[in-house]
Amino acid sequence: MTATRFLRTALPALPVLAAAAYAAPVLSTYGPLRNRVMPRLSGRGRPDHVALTFDDGPDPLSTPLFLRLLDERRVHATFFLLGNQAVRAPGLVSEIAAAGHEIAVHGWLHRPLLLRGPRATRDDLARARDTVGDLTGRTPRLFRPPYGVMSTAAHLAARRLDLTPVLWTAWGEDWRARATPESVHRTVTADLRGGGTILLHDSDCTSAPGSWRATLDAVPRVLDTCAMRGLSVGPLREHAVDPL
């Protein structure tokens, strides 16, 4: 095949191939596959420990109730904050940090990064990281993409910004309108193993209105189940997750 003929054949396919390469990391969204072949991205840690994480806050209505509960149970967690939520409640961000919880970023806006280009992706993550860092006095090191969907641009931006992406191994599907404390607990513990990372939400800003109430009532049950299984619970910083 001549070079000219090759180019005529290959060039029309380049946009498709480029799009496929950009979106390839979206495969990590599929939990069972990710948990098997991408343990670090899934947040796999030491086998006697479970990392408890919350997304989408801070929310002045709901987050203080989670902080009170965690304080009563003497448990620390990792809060993945949205930048646009953080600037609306800067005092609450400080309160989360002062209580000893780990603060990470969930982006500036809760929009799929797969639909953004490289520059917009980097700007979103940088804005969230810098804003949260200014509010707490400590630059966040962990990042979780909205909807758990990564892209090539997100991986590159995270690396350049010194952010480590961390997803989860178990979630409660607590964003649903039909979620109950029982369903959240059942869904979390069905997939929970030592070394796992739990995803829950302390805010309903992107979930069904009031869904956080089911989560709040489910957390003590989840903690009790972990205790029964001999698993300690804490933030990702105590989870011994290796950086990517």
Side-chain angles (χ1 to χ4, degrees):
M1 180 182 291
T2 65
T4 301
R5 186 175 179 182
F6 172 79
L7 289 174
R8 286 176 179 172
T9 303
L11 285 177
L14 288 180
V16 176
L17 294 174
Y22 184 82
V26 78
L27 293 174
S28 64
T29 306
Y30 181 58
L33 174 64
R34 180 180 72 242
N35 293 343
R36 285 198 303 271
V37 303
M38 306 174 187
R40 288 181 295 177
L41 182 60
S42 296
R44 298 294 303 182
R46 67 179 206 260
D48 63 336
H49 187 266
V50 167
L52 179 62
T53 71
F54 295 93
D55 284 8
D56 291 1
D59 187 322
L61 176 64
S62 54
T63 301
L65 299 179
F66 284 87
L67 295 179
R68 185 184 309 165
L69 169 62
L70 294 173
D71 181 61
E72 292 172 353
R73 296 296 298 253
R74 298 183 179 180
V75 171
H76 290 126
T78 301
F79 286 80
F80 286 88
L81 306 185
L82 287 168
N84 68 334
Q85 289 282 103
V87 294
R88 295 172 184 167
L92 186 52
V93 176
S94 299
E95 184 179 346
I96 296 171
H101 300 289
E102 182 177 32
I103 294 184
V105 293
H106 198 32
W108 183 262
L109 296 173
H110 201 281
R111 294 177 182 171
L113 296 180
L114 190 61
L115 302 180
R116 300 182 179 199
R119 182 171 182 177
T121 296
R122 186 187 185 284
D123 289 349
D124 181 274
L125 299 189
R127 187 180 184 189
R129 182 200 64 173
D130 294 347
T131 298
V132 171
D134 288 344
L135 292 174
T136 62
R138 177 176 294 183
T139 302
R141 296 302 182 196
L142 301 179
F143 154 65
R144 178 174 288 158
Y147 305 104
V149 178
M150 292 294 289
S151 66
T152 298
H155 277 292
L156 292 175
R159 186 176 297 276
R160 290 169 181 165
L161 295 170
D162 198 21
L163 291 169
T164 298
V166 181
L167 300 184
W168 59 86
T169 64
W171 62 3
E173 296 187 355
D174 55 340
W175 63 88
R176 301 176 183 269
R178 63 175 182 270
T180 65
E182 294 77 16
S183 73
V184 174
H185 171 257
R186 182 174 61 252
T187 306
V188 167
T189 55
D191 293 325
L192 186 60
R193 305 289 185 274
T197 291
I198 298 172
L199 162 63
L200 294 171
H201 296 80
D202 63 305
S203 167
D204 63 7
C205 71
T206 64
S207 306
S211 57
W212 60 266
R213 298 180 188 278
T215 307
L216 184 67
D217 288 341
V219 169
R221 307 179 192 204
V222 172
L223 295 178
D224 289 343
T225 297
C226 289
M228 290 176 58
R229 296 182 182 180
L231 300 171
S232 61
V233 180
L236 283 161
R237 66 172 177 244
E238 298 173 359
H239 200 45
V241 176
D242 293 330
L244 293 176

